[in-house]
Amino acid sequence: MLLKRILLNSLFMATTKSTNKSTEKPAAASGKIENSEFHEFFVDEIKDIYWAEKHLVKALPKLKKAATSPELAAAFDQHTQETNSHIATLEQVFELLGEKAQAKKCDAMEGLLAEATSIIEDTDKGTLIRDAGLILAAQKVEHYEIATYGTLVVFARNMGQSEVADLLQGTLDNEKATDVILTEIAVNSINEPAAAE
Ligand code: FE
Ligand code: FE
């Protein structure tokens, strides 16, 4: 590890020497060279959310099928399409980072999707209690994604990867909008009748 660090430092010095401005903040565009360990860590986290999105996109149609409210079913349908675009965005991110698009198992998403499955198993078809449960499960997923993308945007900005940060910010905004839509559906048409069932 130490050798690696020394090699990286000398590589870093070699790349910055030519600028002749040693006091200047290093050009951050080539984060891979300048902060290789952090770059690796960042890529690992991108692989994690890539796995999460790829599994979520397969689970969302099951949530749609289980939903009673047509509004909720439509929201799941819309977010399935949006999740496909989140996957495509992550593939663009891999490309910008000079990395192969690869998924790494995300234990958190696996657990959240298992929870969604047990909500479906534990509730009856055609009830709004099930819909309330589906919204609960979906909002846990959205909040997980919001936390993940929120942090990754900050990391990307700190690494000087502004294009990557902008792409991830776009997905973050969409996850937040989805969370708001789910709350609106719950408040407007699910929670009250579900409690009266
Ligand atoms: Fe997503
Ligand atoms: Fe999402």
Side-chain angles (χ1 to χ4, degrees):
M1 188 60 89
L2 183 64
L3 178 65
K4 192 177 159 199
R5 202 182 288 270
I6 293 165
L7 282 170
L8 286 168
N9 281 348
S10 43
L11 188 57
F12 169 65
M13 280 165 77
T15 55
T16 52
K17 215 185 272 175
S18 59
T19 65
N20 244 348
K21 289 177 188 167
S22 56
T23 53
E24 202 177 82
K25 215 178 159 194
S30 52
K32 189 168 188 172
I33 291 170
E34 289 158 18
N35 194 353
S36 180
E37 277 179 49
F38 197 81
H39 177 96
E40 258 174 56
F41 167 69
F42 183 75
V43 170
D44 251 26
E45 293 306 311
I46 296 288
K47 287 177 182 174
D48 183 280
I49 191 67
Y50 188 53
W51 190 101
E53 295 279 23
K54 284 181 91 125
H55 282 74
L56 176 60
V57 86
K58 284 185 231 155
L60 281 166
K62 294 174 197 162
L63 302 193
K64 181 199 164 185
K65 212 175 144 210
T68 303
S69 148
E71 222 184 331
L72 182 58
F76 285 141
D77 210 21
Q78 187 186 323
H79 204 55
T80 305
Q81 289 165 43
E82 289 163 345
T83 301
N84 270 317
S85 83
H86 301 167
I87 292 168
T89 298
L90 288 171
E91 284 162 359
Q92 267 178 279
V93 167
F94 278 116
E95 210 178 311
L96 283 167
L97 294 169
E99 300 283 342
K100 206 173 111 213
Q102 222 176 1
K104 192 174 168 185
K105 192 180 166 196
C106 171
D107 294 328
M109 184 59 81
E110 187 182 49
L112 290 168
L113 296 178
E115 225 180 276
T117 303
S118 56
I119 284 176
I120 296 171
E121 284 165 5
D122 294 346
T123 52
D124 293 326
K125 194 176 165 58
T127 63
L128 291 180
I129 295 173
R130 175 182 279 186
D131 278 12
L134 290 172
I135 292 175
L136 173 70
Q139 286 192 297
K140 285 188 187 184
V141 167
E142 293 315 306
H143 280 245
Y144 173 73
E145 290 183 304
I146 290 165
T148 304
Y149 283 110
T151 304
L152 292 176
V153 167
V154 174
F155 284 171
R157 291 246 178 265
N158 288 343
M159 291 162 75
Q161 294 280 0
S162 58
E163 217 178 321
V164 169
D166 291 345
L167 284 170
L168 297 175
Q169 181 69 52
T171 303
L172 174 62
D173 293 343
N174 180 254
E175 309 293 15
K176 285 183 180 174
T178 303
D179 183 51
V180 170
I181 289 169
L182 289 169
T183 297
E184 279 169 4
I185 296 173
V187 170
N188 293 338
S189 54
I190 310 285
N191 290 348
E192 264 184 58
E197 265 177 357

